[in-house]
Amino acid sequence: GVNALWFTTPSRGLAACADGQVYATENAGRTWIPRAASGGGEPLRAIFLADADAGWVVGDGGAILRTMDGGATWKEIRLGGAVSIRRVWFTDRQRGWIVGERGLLMKSWDGGETWVPEKAPVAADFLGMCFASPDAGWIVGDRGVILHYGRAR
């Protein structure tokens, strides 16, 4: 099944799927074409596009797929281990975060090419996030966890 959708226009969109595939549509979803796949076929869970060209798809097994040309080509960047990445968020083409199971919290300052672990104050399974700027973000997790990331205001 489809785990996430992201449309950049009413016609152009991407779907991250449980079969490990990224599908694209150019006709508002009437037809879908496979565009990329996680190397191990792990389920893909989330999509984020910073603009019409720069986008990321994440999923199980540490799978991260990145496009810088609107989804025409994709590069896989794999984290070590069997970690499940649940969400990805970028505030621009360079600065982004991923969250996932067992307190996974990482940031990238180079467009997702490399990822640096961040220390989370709790070991929850993180399920989602939202960033207003690189200095102000919120992360949600199981058991009612809501974390503020960044400088206090």
Side-chain angles (χ1 to χ4, degrees):
V2 176
N3 289 329
L5 288 172
W6 192 287
F7 276 76
T8 56
T9 72
S11 297
R12 293 185 66 206
L14 297 171
C17 296
D19 66 358
Q21 295 277 333
V22 176
Y23 294 88
T25 183
E26 299 284 334
N27 58 18
R30 285 190 298 282
T31 59
W32 293 88
I33 300 164
R35 284 291 172 90
S38 61
E42 300 88 355
L44 298 173
R45 306 249 175 224
I47 302 172
F48 190 92
L49 273 75
D51 55 40
D53 293 323
W56 301 263
V57 175
V58 298
D60 292 355
I64 302 171
L65 301 170
R66 180 180 73 168
T67 183
M68 291 295 174
D69 58 11
T73 61
W74 293 82
K75 177 181 180 180
E76 184 169 23
I77 300 147
R78 180 142 324 244
L79 298 181
V83 65
S84 178
I85 305 168
R86 296 293 184 195
R87 294 291 179 266
V88 57
W89 191 286
F90 275 73
T91 56
D92 57 38
R93 292 174 71 110
Q94 296 300 311
R95 295 177 287 196
W97 294 262
I98 55 174
V99 297
E101 292 180 343
R102 298 186 304 274
L104 175 72
L105 171 59
M106 301 180 87
K107 71 178 179 183
S108 177
W109 280 172
D110 62 5
E113 187 68 31
T114 59
W115 293 90
V116 177
E118 293 274 277
K119 183 160 175 44
V122 296
D125 287 343
F126 297 132
L127 305 171
M129 68 183 137
C130 175
F131 278 77
S133 75
D135 296 322
W138 293 265
I139 299 165
V140 297
D142 63 353
R143 299 185 310 268
V145 169
I146 301 175
L147 302 176
H148 178 260
Y149 178 95
R151 291 183 234 152
R153 299 270 183 230

